[in-house]
Each structure stands twice: as C-alpha cells, then as structure tokens.
mmCIF file of all heavy atoms in Angstrom:
data_model
loop_
_atom_site.group_PDB
_atom_site.id
_atom_site.type_symbol
_atom_site.label_atom_id
_atom_site.label_comp_id
_atom_site.label_asym_id
_atom_site.label_seq_id
_atom_site.Cartn_x
_atom_site.Cartn_y
_atom_site.Cartn_z
ATOM 1 N N ILE A 104 64.927 36.563 76.935
ATOM 2 C CA ILE A 104 65.903 36.471 78.005
ATOM 3 C C ILE A 104 67.200 37.065 77.466
ATOM 4 O O ILE A 104 67.670 36.661 76.393
ATOM 5 C CB ILE A 104 66.113 35.025 78.468
ATOM 6 C CG1 ILE A 104 64.778 34.426 78.930
ATOM 7 C CG2 ILE A 104 67.143 34.973 79.599
ATOM 8 C CD1 ILE A 104 64.842 32.956 79.265
ATOM 9 N N ILE A 105 67.737 38.016 78.197
ATOM 10 C CA ILE A 105 68.891 38.789 77.742
ATOM 11 C C ILE A 105 69.991 38.684 78.783
ATOM 12 O O ILE A 105 69.722 38.691 79.992
ATOM 13 C CB ILE A 105 68.493 40.259 77.522
ATOM 14 C CG1 ILE A 105 67.376 40.340 76.474
ATOM 15 C CG2 ILE A 105 69.688 41.096 77.087
ATOM 16 C CD1 ILE A 105 66.741 41.703 76.353
ATOM 17 N N ASP A 106 71.236 38.584 78.326
ATOM 18 C CA ASP A 106 72.339 38.438 79.276
ATOM 19 C C ASP A 106 72.920 39.802 79.648
ATOM 20 O O ASP A 106 72.516 40.834 79.094
ATOM 21 C CB ASP A 106 73.389 37.458 78.736
ATOM 22 C CG ASP A 106 74.390 38.080 77.783
ATOM 23 O OD1 ASP A 106 74.257 39.264 77.394
ATOM 24 O OD2 ASP A 106 75.348 37.367 77.412
ATOM 25 N N PRO A 107 73.867 39.866 80.596
ATOM 26 C CA PRO A 107 74.376 41.150 81.084
ATOM 27 C C PRO A 107 75.134 41.972 80.039
ATOM 28 O O PRO A 107 75.377 43.161 80.266
ATOM 29 C CB PRO A 107 75.309 40.745 82.239
ATOM 30 C CG PRO A 107 74.896 39.376 82.621
ATOM 31 C CD PRO A 107 74.418 38.729 81.380
ATOM 32 N N TRP A 108 75.519 41.356 78.938
ATOM 33 C CA TRP A 108 76.208 42.076 77.855
ATOM 34 C C TRP A 108 75.219 42.611 76.824
ATOM 35 O O TRP A 108 75.585 43.298 75.893
ATOM 36 C CB TRP A 108 77.235 41.161 77.196
ATOM 37 C CG TRP A 108 78.247 41.855 76.359
ATOM 38 C CD1 TRP A 108 78.418 41.756 75.015
ATOM 39 C CD2 TRP A 108 79.279 42.754 76.816
ATOM 40 N NE1 TRP A 108 79.473 42.536 74.597
ATOM 41 C CE2 TRP A 108 80.020 43.152 75.689
ATOM 42 C CE3 TRP A 108 79.632 43.259 78.078
ATOM 43 C CZ2 TRP A 108 81.101 44.041 75.771
ATOM 44 C CZ3 TRP A 108 80.704 44.136 78.160
ATOM 45 C CH2 TRP A 108 81.423 44.512 77.012
ATOM 46 N N GLY A 109 73.950 42.256 76.995
ATOM 47 C CA GLY A 109 72.919 42.703 76.064
ATOM 48 C C GLY A 109 72.600 41.718 74.963
ATOM 49 O O GLY A 109 71.815 42.020 74.060
ATOM 50 N N ASP A 110 73.187 40.520 75.021
ATOM 51 C CA ASP A 110 72.914 39.501 74.009
ATOM 52 C C ASP A 110 71.576 38.819 74.304
ATOM 53 O O ASP A 110 71.276 38.480 75.459
ATOM 54 C CB ASP A 110 74.020 38.442 73.989
ATOM 55 C CG ASP A 110 75.341 39.006 73.485
ATOM 56 O OD1 ASP A 110 75.314 39.956 72.677
ATOM 57 O OD2 ASP A 110 76.399 38.495 73.905
ATOM 58 N N ILE A 111 70.789 38.604 73.269
ATOM 59 C CA ILE A 111 69.505 37.927 73.407
ATOM 60 C C ILE A 111 69.743 36.423 73.391
ATOM 61 O O ILE A 111 70.210 35.868 72.392
ATOM 62 C CB ILE A 111 68.540 38.340 72.285
ATOM 63 C CG1 ILE A 111 68.259 39.845 72.370
ATOM 64 C CG2 ILE A 111 67.232 37.543 72.380
ATOM 65 C CD1 ILE A 111 67.478 40.388 71.184
ATOM 66 N N LEU A 112 69.430 35.758 74.483
ATOM 67 C CA LEU A 112 69.664 34.322 74.618
ATOM 68 C C LEU A 112 68.485 33.493 74.129
ATOM 69 O O LEU A 112 68.658 32.347 73.715
ATOM 70 C CB LEU A 112 69.956 33.975 76.074
ATOM 71 C CG LEU A 112 71.130 34.709 76.728
ATOM 72 C CD1 LEU A 112 71.298 34.232 78.171
ATOM 73 C CD2 LEU A 112 72.414 34.507 75.945
ATOM 74 N N ALA A 113 67.284 34.059 74.220
ATOM 75 C CA ALA A 113 66.083 33.334 73.797
ATOM 76 C C ALA A 113 64.998 34.341 73.486
ATOM 77 O O ALA A 113 64.931 35.411 74.093
ATOM 78 C CB ALA A 113 65.614 32.377 74.890
ATOM 79 N N CYS A 114 64.128 33.986 72.529
ATOM 80 C CA CYS A 114 63.018 34.854 72.163
ATOM 81 C C CYS A 114 61.843 34.012 71.667
ATOM 82 O O CYS A 114 62.034 33.102 70.858
ATOM 83 C CB CYS A 114 63.435 35.847 71.079
ATOM 84 S SG CYS A 114 62.097 36.937 70.519
ATOM 85 N N ARG A 115 60.659 34.318 72.151
ATOM 86 C CA ARG A 115 59.422 33.708 71.664
ATOM 87 C C ARG A 115 58.557 34.841 71.105
ATOM 88 O O ARG A 115 57.944 35.582 71.858
ATOM 89 C CB ARG A 115 58.696 32.986 72.795
ATOM 90 C CG ARG A 115 57.396 32.317 72.363
ATOM 91 C CD ARG A 115 57.672 31.062 71.579
ATOM 92 N NE ARG A 115 56.451 30.446 71.088
ATOM 93 C CZ ARG A 115 56.417 29.275 70.452
ATOM 94 N NH1 ARG A 115 57.553 28.613 70.257
ATOM 95 N NH2 ARG A 115 55.286 28.784 70.011
ATOM 96 N N PRO A 116 58.517 35.007 69.770
ATOM 97 C CA PRO A 116 57.821 36.158 69.193
ATOM 98 C C PRO A 116 56.334 36.233 69.552
ATOM 99 O O PRO A 116 55.860 37.248 70.050
ATOM 100 C CB PRO A 116 58.021 35.983 67.685
ATOM 101 C CG PRO A 116 59.274 35.181 67.567
ATOM 102 C CD PRO A 116 59.233 34.238 68.731
ATOM 103 N N GLU A 117 55.583 35.165 69.268
ATOM 104 C CA GLU A 117 54.158 35.144 69.555
ATOM 105 C C GLU A 117 53.709 33.713 69.801
ATOM 106 O O GLU A 117 54.423 32.765 69.483
ATOM 107 C CB GLU A 117 53.339 35.726 68.387
ATOM 108 C CG GLU A 117 53.403 37.221 68.240
ATOM 109 C CD GLU A 117 52.422 37.737 67.200
ATOM 110 O OE1 GLU A 117 51.697 36.925 66.595
ATOM 111 O OE2 GLU A 117 52.378 38.963 66.992
ATOM 112 N N GLY A 118 52.523 33.576 70.353
ATOM 113 C CA GLY A 118 51.923 32.256 70.510
ATOM 114 C C GLY A 118 52.385 31.521 71.746
ATOM 115 O O GLY A 118 53.363 31.892 72.397
ATOM 116 N N ALA A 119 51.650 30.451 72.055
ATOM 117 C CA ALA A 119 51.989 29.646 73.227
ATOM 118 C C ALA A 119 53.352 29.004 73.049
ATOM 119 O O ALA A 119 53.711 28.554 71.963
ATOM 120 C CB ALA A 119 50.920 28.565 73.434
ATOM 121 N N GLY A 120 54.131 28.988 74.103
ATOM 122 C CA GLY A 120 55.458 28.395 74.029
ATOM 123 C C GLY A 120 56.346 28.913 75.135
ATOM 124 O O GLY A 120 55.879 29.576 76.058
ATOM 125 N N VAL A 121 57.625 28.612 75.022
ATOM 126 C CA VAL A 121 58.578 28.915 76.085
ATOM 127 C C VAL A 121 59.831 29.549 75.506
ATOM 128 O O VAL A 121 60.331 29.116 74.459
ATOM 129 C CB VAL A 121 58.972 27.623 76.846
ATOM 130 C CG1 VAL A 121 60.026 27.916 77.905
ATOM 131 C CG2 VAL A 121 57.745 26.986 77.482
ATOM 132 N N ALA A 122 60.327 30.574 76.159
ATOM 133 C CA ALA A 122 61.674 31.089 75.915
ATOM 134 C C ALA A 122 62.510 30.663 77.113
ATOM 135 O O ALA A 122 62.164 30.973 78.252
ATOM 136 C CB ALA A 122 61.664 32.605 75.764
ATOM 137 N N MET A 123 63.605 29.957 76.877
ATOM 138 C CA MET A 123 64.345 29.348 77.981
ATOM 139 C C MET A 123 65.844 29.561 77.809
ATOM 140 O O MET A 123 66.368 29.496 76.691
ATOM 141 C CB MET A 123 64.038 27.847 78.044
ATOM 142 C CG MET A 123 64.691 27.128 79.206
ATOM 143 S SD MET A 123 64.039 25.442 79.417
ATOM 144 C CE MET A 123 64.492 24.690 77.845
ATOM 145 N N ALA A 124 66.533 29.820 78.913
ATOM 146 C CA ALA A 124 67.983 29.981 78.893
ATOM 147 C C ALA A 124 68.539 29.683 80.275
ATOM 148 O O ALA A 124 67.805 29.691 81.267
ATOM 149 C CB ALA A 124 68.367 31.395 78.463
ATOM 150 N N GLU A 125 69.832 29.420 80.331
ATOM 151 C CA GLU A 125 70.513 29.216 81.606
ATOM 152 C C GLU A 125 71.186 30.512 82.044
ATOM 153 O O GLU A 125 71.763 31.232 81.221
ATOM 154 C CB GLU A 125 71.566 28.118 81.471
ATOM 155 C CG GLU A 125 70.981 26.732 81.248
ATOM 156 C CD GLU A 125 72.046 25.646 81.278
ATOM 157 O OE1 GLU A 125 73.220 25.976 81.559
ATOM 158 O OE2 GLU A 125 71.703 24.481 81.032
ATOM 159 N N LEU A 126 71.112 30.792 83.334
ATOM 160 C CA LEU A 126 71.812 31.933 83.896
ATOM 161 C C LEU A 126 73.169 31.457 84.401
ATOM 162 O O LEU A 126 73.251 30.553 85.218
ATOM 163 C CB LEU A 126 71.005 32.546 85.045
ATOM 164 C CG LEU A 126 69.909 33.542 84.652
ATOM 165 C CD1 LEU A 126 68.856 32.892 83.771
ATOM 166 C CD2 LEU A 126 69.263 34.149 85.893
ATOM 167 N N ASP A 127 74.213 32.068 83.888
ATOM 168 C CA ASP A 127 75.580 31.647 84.180
ATOM 169 C C ASP A 127 76.235 32.663 85.120
ATOM 170 O O ASP A 127 76.556 33.779 84.708
ATOM 171 C CB ASP A 127 76.365 31.543 82.866
ATOM 172 C CG ASP A 127 77.781 31.052 83.067
ATOM 173 O OD1 ASP A 127 78.211 30.890 84.227
ATOM 174 O OD2 ASP A 127 78.480 30.840 82.057
ATOM 175 N N PRO A 128 76.449 32.315 86.385
ATOM 176 C CA PRO A 128 77.065 33.261 87.316
ATOM 177 C C PRO A 128 78.487 33.653 86.913
ATOM 178 O O PRO A 128 78.935 34.763 87.223
ATOM 179 C CB PRO A 128 77.046 32.510 88.654
ATOM 180 C CG PRO A 128 76.877 31.071 88.305
ATOM 181 C CD PRO A 128 76.101 31.028 87.034
ATOM 182 N N ASP A 129 79.194 32.760 86.220
ATOM 183 C CA ASP A 129 80.534 33.100 85.754
ATOM 184 C C ASP A 129 80.482 34.185 84.685
ATOM 185 O O ASP A 129 81.340 35.071 84.638
ATOM 186 C CB ASP A 129 81.248 31.861 85.204
ATOM 187 C CG ASP A 129 81.551 30.837 86.295
ATOM 188 O OD1 ASP A 129 81.698 31.254 87.465
ATOM 189 O OD2 ASP A 129 81.639 29.639 85.975
ATOM 190 N N ARG A 130 79.497 34.092 83.805
ATOM 191 C CA ARG A 130 79.307 35.115 82.777
ATOM 192 C C ARG A 130 78.978 36.453 83.426
ATOM 193 O O ARG A 130 79.505 37.503 83.031
ATOM 194 C CB ARG A 130 78.172 34.681 81.845
ATOM 195 C CG ARG A 130 77.701 35.728 80.836
ATOM 196 C CD ARG A 130 78.737 36.009 79.782
ATOM 197 N NE ARG A 130 78.187 36.785 78.688
ATOM 198 C CZ ARG A 130 78.928 37.422 77.786
ATOM 199 N NH1 ARG A 130 80.257 37.350 77.839
ATOM 200 N NH2 ARG A 130 78.362 38.106 76.812
ATOM 201 N N LEU A 131 78.131 36.429 84.414
ATOM 202 C CA LEU A 131 77.765 37.636 85.146
ATOM 203 C C LEU A 131 78.996 38.281 85.779
ATOM 204 O O LEU A 131 79.235 39.487 85.646
ATOM 205 C CB LEU A 131 76.744 37.275 86.213
ATOM 206 C CG LEU A 131 76.038 38.400 86.968
ATOM 207 C CD1 LEU A 131 75.110 39.162 86.058
ATOM 208 C CD2 LEU A 131 75.260 37.823 88.149
ATOM 209 N N ALA A 132 79.792 37.466 86.438
ATOM 210 C CA ALA A 132 80.996 37.977 87.104
ATOM 211 C C ALA A 132 82.003 38.517 86.096
ATOM 212 O O ALA A 132 82.667 39.543 86.347
ATOM 213 C CB ALA A 132 81.627 36.876 87.943
ATOM 214 N N LEU A 133 82.143 37.849 84.956
ATOM 215 C CA LEU A 133 83.097 38.286 83.930
ATOM 216 C C LEU A 133 82.734 39.657 83.385
ATOM 217 O O LEU A 133 83.600 40.537 83.253
ATOM 218 C CB LEU A 133 83.140 37.264 82.790
ATOM 219 C CG LEU A 133 84.033 37.630 81.596
ATOM 220 C CD1 LEU A 133 85.491 37.721 82.032
ATOM 221 C CD2 LEU A 133 83.861 36.603 80.475
ATOM 222 N N VAL A 134 81.460 39.856 83.062
ATOM 223 C CA VAL A 134 81.020 41.144 82.533
ATOM 224 C C VAL A 134 81.283 42.252 83.543
ATOM 225 O O VAL A 134 81.803 43.323 83.195
ATOM 226 C CB VAL A 134 79.526 41.089 82.160
ATOM 227 C CG1 VAL A 134 78.983 42.491 81.878
ATOM 228 C CG2 VAL A 134 79.308 40.196 80.949
ATOM 229 N N ARG A 135 80.974 41.996 84.789
ATOM 230 C CA ARG A 135 81.157 43.018 85.817
ATOM 231 C C ARG A 135 82.624 43.276 86.124
ATOM 232 O O ARG A 135 83.003 44.385 86.498
ATOM 233 C CB ARG A 135 80.411 42.602 87.089
ATOM 234 C CG ARG A 135 78.905 42.625 86.927
ATOM 235 C CD ARG A 135 78.179 42.117 88.157
ATOM 236 N NE ARG A 135 76.726 42.269 88.017
ATOM 237 C CZ ARG A 135 75.839 41.862 88.911
ATOM 238 N NH1 ARG A 135 76.252 41.277 90.038
ATOM 239 N NH2 ARG A 135 74.549 42.041 88.706
ATOM 240 N N ARG A 136 83.448 42.259 85.940
ATOM 241 C CA ARG A 136 84.881 42.433 86.173
ATOM 242 C C ARG A 136 85.543 43.187 85.027
ATOM 243 O O ARG A 136 86.381 44.075 85.251
ATOM 244 C CB ARG A 136 85.538 41.065 86.353
ATOM 245 C CG ARG A 136 87.042 41.141 86.691
ATOM 246 C CD ARG A 136 87.583 39.796 87.105
ATOM 247 N NE ARG A 136 87.532 38.811 86.017
ATOM 248 C CZ ARG A 136 86.716 37.764 85.994
ATOM 249 N NH1 ARG A 136 85.860 37.557 86.992
ATOM 250 N NH2 ARG A 136 86.747 36.918 84.983
ATOM 251 N N CYS A 137 85.167 42.861 83.790
ATOM 252 C CA CYS A 137 85.763 43.513 82.624
ATOM 253 C C CYS A 137 85.336 44.970 82.494
ATOM 254 O O CYS A 137 86.118 45.823 82.071
ATOM 255 C CB CYS A 137 85.383 42.754 81.351
ATOM 256 S SG CYS A 137 86.101 41.113 81.212
ATOM 257 N N LEU A 138 84.083 45.240 82.853
ATOM 258 C CA LEU A 138 83.550 46.602 82.755
ATOM 259 C C LEU A 138 82.834 46.922 84.059
ATOM 260 O O LEU A 138 81.626 46.744 84.180
ATOM 261 C CB LEU A 138 82.575 46.706 81.570
ATOM 262 C CG LEU A 138 81.913 48.059 81.319
ATOM 263 C CD1 LEU A 138 82.949 49.121 81.007
ATOM 264 C CD2 LEU A 138 80.897 47.950 80.194
ATOM 265 N N PRO A 139 83.576 47.372 85.072
ATOM 266 C CA PRO A 139 82.988 47.537 86.409
ATOM 267 C C PRO A 139 82.116 48.784 86.545
ATOM 268 O O PRO A 139 82.308 49.618 87.435
ATOM 269 C CB PRO A 139 84.215 47.595 87.319
ATOM 270 C CG PRO A 139 85.287 48.158 86.450
ATOM 271 C CD PRO A 139 85.025 47.640 85.061
ATOM 272 N N ALA A 140 81.132 48.915 85.655
ATOM 273 C CA ALA A 140 80.287 50.108 85.649
ATOM 274 C C ALA A 140 79.490 50.256 86.941
ATOM 275 O O ALA A 140 79.247 51.383 87.398
ATOM 276 C CB ALA A 140 79.335 50.058 84.449
ATOM 277 N N LEU A 141 79.087 49.144 87.540
ATOM 278 C CA LEU A 141 78.326 49.237 88.776
ATOM 279 C C LEU A 141 79.143 49.861 89.903
ATOM 280 O O LEU A 141 78.590 50.500 90.800
ATOM 281 C CB LEU A 141 77.827 47.844 89.201
ATOM 282 C CG LEU A 141 76.841 47.157 88.245
ATOM 283 C CD1 LEU A 141 76.448 45.788 88.800
ATOM 284 C CD2 LEU A 141 75.614 48.007 87.999
ATOM 285 N N GLU A 142 80.456 49.651 89.829
ATOM 286 C CA GLU A 142 81.334 50.242 90.847
ATOM 287 C C GLU A 142 81.674 51.691 90.535
ATOM 288 O O GLU A 142 82.205 52.407 91.395
ATOM 289 C CB GLU A 142 82.631 49.431 90.945
ATOM 290 C CG GLU A 142 82.419 47.935 91.152
ATOM 291 C CD GLU A 142 81.610 47.636 92.386
ATOM 292 O OE1 GLU A 142 81.749 48.369 93.388
ATOM 293 O OE2 GLU A 142 80.815 46.670 92.359
ATOM 294 N N HIS A 143 81.379 52.134 89.324
ATOM 295 C CA HIS A 143 81.728 53.494 88.899
ATOM 296 C C HIS A 143 80.578 54.480 89.058
ATOM 297 O O HIS A 143 80.705 55.640 88.659
ATOM 298 C CB HIS A 143 82.172 53.479 87.425
ATOM 299 C CG HIS A 143 83.449 52.752 87.206
ATOM 300 N ND1 HIS A 143 83.860 52.304 85.964
ATOM 301 C CD2 HIS A 143 84.420 52.365 88.082
ATOM 302 C CE1 HIS A 143 85.027 51.680 86.069
ATOM 303 N NE2 HIS A 143 85.381 51.703 87.352
ATOM 304 N N ARG A 144 79.470 54.043 89.608
ATOM 305 C CA ARG A 144 78.339 54.943 89.790
ATOM 306 C C ARG A 144 78.712 56.097 90.720
ATOM 307 O O ARG A 144 79.398 55.910 91.712
ATOM 308 C CB ARG A 144 77.150 54.188 90.391
ATOM 309 C CG ARG A 144 76.499 53.183 89.457
ATOM 310 C CD ARG A 144 75.402 52.432 90.187
ATOM 311 N NE ARG A 144 74.684 51.527 89.307
ATOM 312 C CZ ARG A 144 73.778 50.656 89.711
ATOM 313 N NH1 ARG A 144 73.491 50.566 90.991
ATOM 314 N NH2 ARG A 144 73.148 49.883 88.850
ATOM 315 N N ARG A 145 78.211 57.281 90.390
ATOM 316 C CA ARG A 145 78.482 58.456 91.204
ATOM 317 C C ARG A 145 77.203 59.218 91.521
ATOM 318 O O ARG A 145 77.196 60.440 91.611
ATOM 319 C CB ARG A 145 79.482 59.369 90.472
ATOM 320 C CG ARG A 145 80.881 58.791 90.370
ATOM 321 C CD ARG A 145 81.524 58.648 91.742
ATOM 322 N NE ARG A 145 82.857 58.083 91.679
ATOM 323 C CZ ARG A 145 83.138 56.806 91.780
ATOM 324 N NH1 ARG A 145 82.172 55.918 91.947
ATOM 325 N NH2 ARG A 145 84.371 56.370 91.711
ATOM 326 N N LEU A 146 76.098 58.494 91.682
ATOM 327 C CA LEU A 146 74.827 59.145 91.952
ATOM 328 C C LEU A 146 74.853 59.924 93.258
ATOM 329 O O LEU A 146 74.094 60.876 93.444
ATOM 330 C CB LEU A 146 73.694 58.101 92.003
ATOM 331 C CG LEU A 146 73.298 57.471 90.663
ATOM 332 C CD1 LEU A 146 72.178 56.463 90.869
ATOM 333 C CD2 LEU A 146 72.853 58.536 89.672
ATOM 334 N N ASP A 147 75.719 59.516 94.172
ATOM 335 C CA ASP A 147 75.792 60.211 95.458
ATOM 336 C C ASP A 147 76.219 61.659 95.284
ATOM 337 O O ASP A 147 75.938 62.504 96.123
ATOM 338 C CB ASP A 147 76.759 59.481 96.396
ATOM 339 C CG ASP A 147 78.143 59.336 95.777
ATOM 340 O OD1 ASP A 147 78.227 58.844 94.639
ATOM 341 O OD2 ASP A 147 79.125 59.715 96.435
ATOM 342 N N LEU A 148 76.877 61.976 94.162
ATOM 343 C CA LEU A 148 77.302 63.346 93.910
ATOM 344 C C LEU A 148 76.112 64.280 93.667
ATOM 345 O O LEU A 148 76.214 65.496 93.830
ATOM 346 C CB LEU A 148 78.229 63.406 92.696
ATOM 347 C CG LEU A 148 79.551 62.635 92.800
ATOM 348 C CD1 LEU A 148 80.323 62.748 91.499
ATOM 349 C CD2 LEU A 148 80.395 63.169 93.949
ATOM 350 N N PHE A 149 74.974 63.678 93.271
ATOM 351 C CA PHE A 149 73.819 64.488 92.916
ATOM 352 C C PHE A 149 72.705 64.423 93.961
ATOM 353 O O PHE A 149 71.654 64.998 93.781
ATOM 354 C CB PHE A 149 73.260 64.031 91.565
ATOM 355 C CG PHE A 149 74.291 64.047 90.468
ATOM 356 C CD1 PHE A 149 74.974 62.910 90.102
ATOM 357 C CD2 PHE A 149 74.599 65.238 89.817
ATOM 358 C CE1 PHE A 149 75.926 62.919 89.103
ATOM 359 C CE2 PHE A 149 75.545 65.273 88.824
ATOM 360 C CZ PHE A 149 76.215 64.113 88.455
ATOM 361 N N SER A 150 72.951 63.710 95.036
ATOM 362 C CA SER A 150 71.927 63.608 96.069
ATOM 363 C C SER A 150 71.893 64.878 96.893
ATOM 364 O O SER A 150 72.907 65.556 97.088
ATOM 365 C CB SER A 150 72.193 62.400 96.966
ATOM 366 O OG SER A 150 73.443 62.522 97.617
ATOM 367 N N SER A 151 70.714 65.197 97.381
ATOM 368 C CA SER A 151 70.583 66.437 98.157
ATOM 369 C C SER A 151 70.925 66.197 99.622
ATOM 370 O O SER A 151 70.935 65.081 100.094
ATOM 371 C CB SER A 151 69.139 66.942 98.035
ATOM 372 O OG SER A 151 68.215 65.975 98.460
#
C-alpha cells in the first residue's frame, strides 16, 4: 500500500498474511495542494 507521495505504508513480501494501512483524505489533499500536478496536465494540447 503506497501513499500519494510514493511512501510505502505497508508491505507483505510473501506468504499468507495482510498488508494494512489507513487512507487519509487530509494527506491526499495536502499532496495535491502542495504539488498540483493533476491541475497542470496539458494532454489536451496533443489531442487530435
């Protein structure tokens, strides 16, 4: 389980078990506010 900044929150290498983490909407909003890359997309410039 990886967060929006690319940090690994949980990992289960092999075998039966669980990788578990909480999804934090505040963390999501903070990343998008500090680095608004989703708002900077310009794919429309390349559309036909």
Side-chain angles (χ1 to χ4, degrees):
I104 302 174
I105 301 170
D106 84 353
W108 196 245
D110 292 331
I111 298 172
L112 303 181
C114 178
R115 180 75 183 185
E117 286 188 0
V121 177
M123 183 169 61
E125 292 187 5
L126 276 61
D127 183 354
D129 293 333
R130 171 69 168 164
L131 190 68
L133 176 63
V134 168
R135 292 176 175 177
R136 184 170 65 250
C137 292
L138 180 62
L141 296 180
E142 307 303 325
H143 293 162
R144 290 176 176 173
R145 291 295 179 268
L146 289 180
D147 56 308
L148 298 178
F149 305 97
S150 61
S151 57

